Amino acid sequence: MNTDKSGKPSAKDSLRRELLAARDLLTKEDAARTAAVLAGAALRLPELADARTVAAYVSVGREPGTRALLEALRGRGVRVLLPVLLADNDLDWAAYEGPEHLLPAGRGLLEPDGPRLGPAAVVEAQAVLLPGLAVDGAGMRLGRGGGSYDRVLARLTAAGAHPALVVLLYDDEVVARVPSEPHDQPVDAVVTPAGARRFPS
């Protein structure tokens, strides 16, 4: 947990705790129902509809569900890359080959069982789905604080790659303001059960 000079939790951590507590109140049925709606809304985004390679992730717990979306993308012939968490919190990538090829990993995550493609594989994606807890009107995303996706975004920038950055959230996770730092990058779009919203670049 990050703290300010007085030893209190940072604004980001306070907001994270609040949002995670709200997610904990959701039932499995709520999460499953929302996942199907999210998949439909996300698939209508041109950024995903036209992508040949999408970097995504497998939702766990009460995260906005991605599994229906992963299957739909794969069914369209899209190459879907999923993250593999490395010991230093960086991300390697492997291709998604279906739910039967997902294995339990650390931190309660699920990872693909196929060959590792290297951390730089993400630069091949035309769209990247980022996990998050909130996004604000400027497109600033609040992640979980592990820093893995900060590295991914830095890698994309260093490679001169500009995929569409998309975050999937519940409706009430689009907030007035997300505390941000100089290294934080805005996303291009958010998808909630109410639909998709784009942010000015």
Side-chain angles (χ1 to χ4, degrees), residues 74-128:
R74 192 170 74 101
R76 287 183 172 186
V78 175
R79 180 179 183 233
V80 178
L81 303 178
L82 295 179
V84 177
L85 186 65
L86 300 174
D88 64 356
N89 267 5
D90 204 349
L91 297 179
D92 201 337
W93 300 88
Y96 176 59
E97 300 293 350
E100 68 276 14
H101 291 281
L102 296 174
L103 299 175
R107 303 187 188 179
L109 302 174
L110 291 170
E111 296 177 348
D113 62 5
R116 304 309 189 232
L117 305 173
V122 70
V123 305
E124 301 169 15
Q126 287 80 50
V128 177

Side-chain angles (χ1 to χ4, degrees), residues 36-51:
V37 176
L38 279 172
L43 289 168
R44 289 191 291 274
L45 267 181
E47 292 88 341
L48 289 182
D50 297 337

Side-chain angles (χ1 to χ4, degrees), residues 23-33 62:
R23 282 187 179 181
D24 285 343
L25 298 176
L26 295 169
T27 66
K28 287 184 180 178
E29 292 73 20
D30 290 334
R33 189 167 49 250
R62 298 297 188 272

